Amino acid sequence: MDLSSHDHGLPDDGAGADGLGLAELAEEVGVADPVTIAGLATRGGPVPGVRPVMAPVGIVSIRADEMTVRCGAGTPVSELDDALAAVGQSVAIPPTGTVGGALAVGHSGLRRLGYGPIRDTVLQVRYVSAAGEVVTAGGPTVKNVSGFDLCRLLVGSRGTLGFLAEVILRTRPRARYEQWFTSTADPWDLVATLYRPTSVLWDGERTLVLLEGDRRDVDDQARLLGLSPADPPGSLPTGGRWSLPPNELQRLPPTGRFVAEIGVGIVHHEHPPPDRQVDPAVSELHRRIKQRFDPTGRLNPGVSVLDGVG
Amino acid sequence: MSTGPSSALFDDLRAVLDTDRVRTGATELGLYRKDASNMEGTTSVVCLPRTTDEVAGCVRAAVRHGVPFVARGSGTGLAGGAVPLDGAVVIVTSKMDRVLSVDRVARTAWVEPGVLNLDLSRQVAHLGLHFAPDPSSQQTCSIGGNVANNAGGPHCLAEGVTASHVLAVEVVLPDGTVTVLGGEDPEPPGYDLRGVFVGSEGMFGIATRICVRLVPDPPAIRTLLLDFLDVDDGARTVSDIIAAGMVPAAVEMMDQLCLEAVEGYIHAGLPVDAAVALLVEVVGLPHGVEADVERITRIARERGVRDIRIAADETERALLWKGRKSAFGAIARIKPNYYLHDTVVPRSRLPAVLAQVYEIAARHQLLVLNVFHAGDGNLHPLLVFDKREPGVMERVHAAGEEIVRASVAAGGVLSGEHGIGLEKRDLMGLMFGPVDLAAQAALRDAFDPAGMANPRKVLPSGSACGDLQAVPEGAWI
């Protein structure tokens, strides 16, 4: 691993380098038969009964002064997080499974309110296409508008358009101080009053708030709003992951245990999410995109990103 | 393909819009043949719709007659993205300029595409909110244009570019269908079509309503001007700040020629004898801001900073920012014309690439000013010249291409915020191989199988099925 922070080893973040065996993955994916991608099976795992392949594992480089990290998509998030912690940084990816699995599913973590969505962390991807070729999308720098944004297309695409092989991600400085608090105040008052809280969770009675930054600022905010220090949240209901416009959390149905991400709109619920409708024009765009990226439907066969949507 | 005037097409467009919002006069056609780049195309008709239905009607009429269309906001684009090719119908969204709704609890707003960037922030200022992307053209550029180009600006260092601030887009697809991509909820089902639409440079359809995120104004702001007698020291200070675990709201750099030009223009007391100055802004809660100011000051001293000026009040802060944002106007004091590039390089490569930029300009006997988003490595070298000087354009284009190549060779990218458009289309091969370009072409094809939306931009010919090219006047190839 290259932990250097200055002027050497840079071409590694440009095009071409293949220290991780991307070509081998491309060969394994091949061109003909159905194939699925496997990781640590924390998010449902590979498609049963289909030949599995695995993405490369390992960190290629951490560049603290660029705030970027380049790693194989098969790298466990915990391994990435440990390595980034050593340089005082982190990445806004939820803390289980592999980097590629987290990106393919596209669900953000509990700190989305402060850190932004997972889709914004991706700067460059190399993926293996249905034609068994390594495709590069995006670029290695923190800012880039060169060409159409295939990185955004791939985040949340569940391996239906290509298998993530290697990514360059935007990192962020670890906060100098963080503390969870609890409060019985109205969570909407809290989210409106606090300056950029990292997380505000509400279970219908109690609110948990995560504040980060300079300790004096955190303490001042807590004092001002009467927050009491608390442990981090425990386990969340896993019956359904609801995605609602943030204001609709004020009108959640009264049944079932839930933890709602206030200001974000995600509800971790005991019950499955309400049915959703997709506009026919949007479905048609999905069909056309899939048809062009995977005409024979060989990548993660049977998986549809619109599953369970009306 | 029709490139000449077509009375049947005009009649159909007049059936969609009032007669006076379908323009075919020579003067107007001349204006809409170009944007803020130095490239020109051709058009025979300009449409000024006021509603989504009217935009859809214009698109359907154009497509029915086999004529492509190009959407246009304020025309401030620098890469030729809004230059009409093949006699495209120009659909101008500047009359769609209403802020439709503001939700102060969710901190979102639905706006029409013609709303000007700075007008949006002004209209929500009383709520303590603003729209984060702030391109230098923010007084005149439109939100629709920001969406098309995935626009940036100084404050995108900490806040992210336009894609991070757009939640949903109502679009007229290239076949005239109207739909909404993305949503007000955090994880809409399916592919992130919102994400791919932002930055698609008008080639995936036309945005007619946009749901944007608004961010809270920070409780504390400190703005510092740090000046250095050596360009390298300034550039290395930028890397050191980031490596120390800080992400200031903005880190901008101006070199000596730029400082001189700006000072002569606005008299802000800028250090005109410095090699470079950094404009650094730190925002947040008061203790954290003061701690960052101390740390930045210490880092700058270690790098030999000559003077540190901290804005004493909002007036002084505004003056320093005016200096940064009026750089482009000030340049007219040196030479009448400029050509601006927009590459991004890794921050750690700024000193080396800047040295190359100066060397390239000198070799081509051109003046270059640098005023740019140093915090994210986004260079803005301005080649200044007088286009009446014989042979100067050739030198400007040659120097520009060398700068782009040097940036990409240093591990950088073609464009950080201006887009590819027509200008850098044929340099896409520096960053992407044929397989990569084919994947981008496939995405475009999914949105626009007939290729009617802003054709022949972004992707070089041969990316997909090889459409033949005519080289437009002024194109930099």
Side-chain angles (χ1 to χ4, degrees), chain B residues 248-463:
Chain B
V251 179
E252 299 286 302
M253 185 183 275
M254 289 187 276
D255 69 3
Q256 188 183 7
L257 206 47
C258 181
L259 289 165
E260 264 179 39
V262 170
E263 181 59 17
Y265 192 55
I266 64 158
H267 312 293
L270 298 176
V272 293
D273 56 339
V276 288
L278 293 178
L279 184 63
V280 180
E281 189 153 276
V282 185
V283 307
L285 291 163
H287 292 295
V289 166
E290 291 312 320
D292 279 356
V293 167
E294 273 170 36
R295 293 198 295 164
I296 289 167
T297 303
R298 196 165 59 240
I299 288 167
R301 293 222 164 95
E302 281 164 15
R303 286 289 179 194
V305 67
R306 184 179 63 169
D307 193 29
I308 299 175
R309 172 174 170 188
I310 301 181
D313 51 28
E314 183 53 33
T315 310
E316 190 176 2
R317 171 181 178 252
L319 187 64
L320 292 176
W321 273 110
K322 189 179 172 197
R324 165 63 184 88
K325 293 202 173 181
S326 61
F328 297 94
I331 278 151
R333 300 170 61 89
I334 304 176
K335 296 269 186 182
N337 307 105
Y338 67 79
Y339 201 114
L340 173 61
H341 290 279
D342 168 44
T343 59
V344 188
V345 299
R347 295 175 185 99
S348 59
R349 298 302 296 259
L350 277 176
V353 177
L354 271 175
Q356 278 180 287
V357 167
Y358 288 121
E359 184 276 320
I360 290 165
R363 190 154 35 75
H364 290 279
Q365 299 167 290
L366 292 165
L367 276 179
V368 64
L369 284 76
N370 284 287
V371 46
F372 63 101
H373 313 310
D376 41 27
N378 190 183
L379 293 167
H380 282 352
L382 282 143
L383 298 165
V384 293
F385 58 97
D386 182 342
K387 70 178 178 190
R388 292 166 300 187
E389 192 187 315
V392 74
M393 286 315 296
E394 286 76 10
R395 301 203 316 270
V396 167
H397 286 151
E401 180 163 339
E402 282 187 44
I403 290 170
V404 172
R405 287 179 183 274
S407 301
V408 176
V413 301
L414 299 172
S415 175
E417 50 189 21
H418 298 172
I420 299 299
L422 205 48
E423 183 199 39
K424 291 179 285 280
R425 179 190 68 191
D426 294 322
L427 293 173
M428 284 282 278
L430 293 179
M431 266 184 79
F432 298 108
V435 169
D436 312 328
L437 291 171
Q440 294 187 35
L443 182 58
R444 145 84 161 163
D445 189 57
F447 274 84
D448 186 12
M452 301 305 275
N454 204 11
R456 300 202 283 115
K457 305 287 175 64
V458 181
L459 298 175
S461 67
S463 296

Side-chain angles (χ1 to χ4, degrees), chain A residues 5-7 10-11 13-15 63-68 87-89 106-108 112-113 117 119-120 127 129 133-150 152-153 155-158 160-161 170 172-174 176 188 191-197 212 214 216-218 220-221 241-247 250 263-266 276-279 281-282 285-290 292-293 305-306 309, chain B residues 103 105-107 149-150 152-153 156 159 161 163-164 166-167 173 175 177-181 184-196 198-201 203-204 215-219 236 239-240 242-243 245-247 283-289 291-292 295 303 344-349 373 376 378 410-420 428 431-432 435-436 439-440 442-449 458-459:
Chain A
S5 61
H6 270 291
D7 299 76
L10 249 179
D13 283 347
R63 301 199 50 86
D65 60 342
E66 304 298 341
M67 286 205 308
T68 62
V87 295
Q89 299 191 348
H107 290 163
S108 304
R112 174 174 174 154
L113 185 62
R119 64 191 185 216
D120 288 353
Y127 69 92
S129 71
E133 293 174 310
V134 178
V135 181
T136 301
T141 56
V142 291
K143 200 176 187 188
N144 173 29
V145 296
S146 312
F148 299 135
D149 197 349
L150 294 175
R152 250 39 65 194
L153 181 67
V155 175
S157 67
R158 295 178 179 266
T160 60
L161 303 177
R170 174 200 305 274
R172 45 179 302 120
R174 269 187 146 72
R176 277 167 261 165
W188 280 272
V191 85
T193 314
L194 290 164
Y195 179 70
R196 299 205 152 183
E212 291 186 337
D214 188 287
R216 293 164 295 176
D217 290 327
V218 170
D220 283 354
Q221 293 237 301
R241 184 181 177 93
W242 301 14
S243 172
L244 302 170
N247 289 354
Q250 301 187 50
V264 173
I266 293 294
R276 306 193 52 157
Q277 299 299 314
V278 169
D279 186 79
V282 170
L285 283 170
H286 279 73
R287 189 194 64 76
R288 285 195 224 148
I289 290 169
K290 174 70 176 174
R292 281 157 182 80
F293 280 77
V305 290
L306 293 178
V309 176
Chain B
D103 184 330
V105 178
R107 295 186 178 132
N149 282 324
N150 197 6
C156 292
E159 296 284 5
V161 293
S164 298
V166 170
L167 301 176
L173 293 170
D175 64 359
T177 310
V178 179
T179 190
V180 175
L181 309 177
E184 292 177 49
D185 64 311
E187 289 172 1
Y191 300 134
D192 183 10
L193 302 181
R194 166 215 67 92
V196 301
V198 176
S200 61
E201 303 201 27
M203 295 175 71
F204 291 7
V215 297
D217 298 339
R236 288 184 195 283
S239 272
D240 290 352
I242 303 289
M246 284 176 280
V247 185
V283 307
L285 291 163
H287 292 295
V289 166
D292 279 356
R295 293 198 295 164
R303 286 289 179 194
V344 188
V345 299
R347 295 175 185 99
S348 59
R349 298 302 296 259
H373 313 310
D376 41 27
N378 190 183
V413 301
L414 299 172
S415 175
E417 50 189 21
H418 298 172
I420 299 299
M428 284 282 278
M431 266 184 79
F432 298 108
V435 169
D436 312 328
Q440 294 187 35
L443 182 58
R444 145 84 161 163
D445 189 57
F447 274 84
D448 186 12
V458 181
L459 298 175

Side-chain angles (χ1 to χ4, degrees), chain B residues 85-99:
Chain B
L85 300 181
D86 304 332
V89 173
V90 178
I91 299 174
V92 184
T93 56
S94 52
K95 286 191 184 295
M96 302 171 71
D97 61 354
R98 292 173 303 160
V99 173

Side-chain angles (χ1 to χ4, degrees), chain A residues 22-300:
Chain A
L22 304 192
E24 286 81 351
L25 176 64
E27 196 167 316
E28 265 189 78
V29 169
V31 298
D33 59 325
V35 58
T36 185
I37 187 143
L40 296 172
T42 45
R43 294 178 174 83
V47 178
V50 176
R51 179 174 65 87
V53 295
M54 292 186 79
V57 179
I59 296 167
V60 180
S61 61
I62 291 177
R63 301 199 50 86
D65 60 342
E66 304 298 341
M67 286 205 308
T68 62
V69 58
R70 179 179 171 199
C71 68
T75 309
V77 177
S78 58
E79 182 185 325
L80 182 64
D81 203 48
D82 289 347
L84 287 171
V87 295
Q89 299 191 348
S90 67
V91 63
I93 293 186
T96 56
T98 63
V99 170
L103 293 173
V105 170
H107 290 163
S108 304
L110 286 178
R111 301 182 179 205
R112 174 174 174 154
L113 185 62
Y115 295 179
I118 188 172
R119 64 191 185 216
D120 288 353
T121 64
V122 182
L123 302 173
Q124 178 180 288
V125 306
R126 292 212 166 97
Y127 69 92
V128 177
S129 71
E133 293 174 310
V134 178
V135 181
T136 301
T141 56
V142 291
K143 200 176 187 188
N144 173 29
V145 296
S146 312
F148 299 135
D149 197 349
L150 294 175
C151 291
R152 250 39 65 194
L153 181 67
L154 285 159
V155 175
S157 67
R158 295 178 179 266
T160 60
L161 303 177
F163 291 164
L164 297 175
E166 184 200 279
V167 293
I168 297 178
L169 305 173
R170 174 200 305 274
T171 62
R172 45 179 302 120
R174 269 187 146 72
R176 277 167 261 165
Y177 177 73
E178 67 168 60
Q179 177 64 49
W180 283 93
F181 295 93
T182 185
S183 168
T184 50
D186 180 272
W188 280 272
D189 285 348
L190 290 176
V191 85
T193 314
L194 290 164
Y195 179 70
R196 299 205 152 183
T198 303
S199 190
V200 178
L201 306 177
W202 179 62
D203 65 6
E205 291 173 5
R206 202 172 71 116
T207 306
L208 276 179
V209 176
L210 177 61
L211 300 181
E212 291 186 337
D214 188 287
R215 179 162 190 166
R216 293 164 295 176
D217 290 327
V218 170
D219 290 346
D220 283 354
Q221 293 237 301
R223 201 163 32 243
L224 200 67
L225 289 153
L227 308 177
S228 318
D231 290 331
S235 65
L236 303 169
T238 55
R241 184 181 177 93
W242 301 14
S243 172
L244 302 170
N247 289 354
E248 284 186 24
L249 302 192
Q250 301 187 50
R251 298 180 289 277
L252 280 178
T255 56
R257 199 169 80 81
F258 69 87
V259 173
E261 299 181 26
I262 304 300
V264 173
I266 293 294
V267 185
H268 307 267
H269 210 287
E270 186 184 354
H271 301 311
D275 285 343
R276 306 193 52 157
Q277 299 299 314
V278 169
D279 186 79
V282 170
S283 303
E284 170 61 12
L285 283 170
H286 279 73
R287 189 194 64 76
R288 285 195 224 148
I289 290 169
K290 174 70 176 174
Q291 201 276 328
R292 281 157 182 80
F293 280 77
D294 181 18
T296 62
R298 60 184 296 259
L299 302 179
N300 275 0

